[in-house]
Amino acid sequence: MEIWINPRCGKCRTALGELDAAGADYTVRRYLDEPPTAAELTEVLGRLGLEPWDVARLDEAVAKELGLRSWGREDADRARWTAAMAAHPALIQRPIITADDGYTVIGRTPDALKDVLAH
């Protein structure tokens, strides 16, 4: 299992605590220090069944600077969004947890954490 975290994020710390309590074997990726590529983001989004704009943190300062709220949300816009998220990983919702079988969640809720631990 792999978890993408920002150590300053409360939801990330909660997810780590839940994984530890469950005895899960996992690898931590501090995605601000080791940003995912656009290709990795595209793969993760496919596993999540979400679009890049669905997992973008629109209230981040860089999102405001880029004007993300006004960006298109069509098929042709995906590459622009994923490129921005790869260049500015603070835009990515967290924590993202991928189980060994590829099942992936955004671990912000107890239900999402339970789901990924079941895999």
Side-chain angles (χ1 to χ4, degrees):
M1 187 174 297
E2 181 178 71
I3 180 170
W4 294 3
I5 67 157
N6 173 350
R8 295 185 355 220
C9 168
K11 296 283 187 185
C12 292
R13 291 190 305 271
T14 297
L16 290 171
E18 291 293 322
L19 294 176
D20 288 341
D25 183 25
Y26 62 90
T27 302
V28 171
R29 180 172 181 174
R30 293 180 179 213
Y31 73 97
L32 296 177
D33 299 330
E34 186 187 340
T37 64
E40 286 176 302
L41 284 169
T42 299
E43 183 179 321
V44 165
L45 289 165
R47 289 193 306 259
L48 287 167
L50 297 172
E51 298 291 349
W53 46 86
D54 295 330
V55 301
R57 297 175 55 84
L58 299 177
D59 291 327
E60 291 290 325
V62 69
K64 292 175 183 176
E65 290 170 22
L66 294 171
L68 284 188
R69 288 191 187 275
S70 68
W71 286 18
R73 288 171 168 77
E74 302 294 329
D75 291 350
D77 301 309
R78 281 190 191 107
R80 183 180 185 199
W81 281 84
T82 54
M85 294 165 76
H88 307 282
L91 295 173
I92 304 168
Q93 195 63 254
R94 60 190 180 251
I96 295 177
I97 308 168
T98 300
D100 290 339
D101 67 0
Y103 182 77
T104 303
V105 299
I106 298 176
R108 299 189 60 79
T109 65
D111 286 342
L113 293 170
K114 287 177 190 172
D115 285 348
V116 78
L117 285 168
H119 282 263

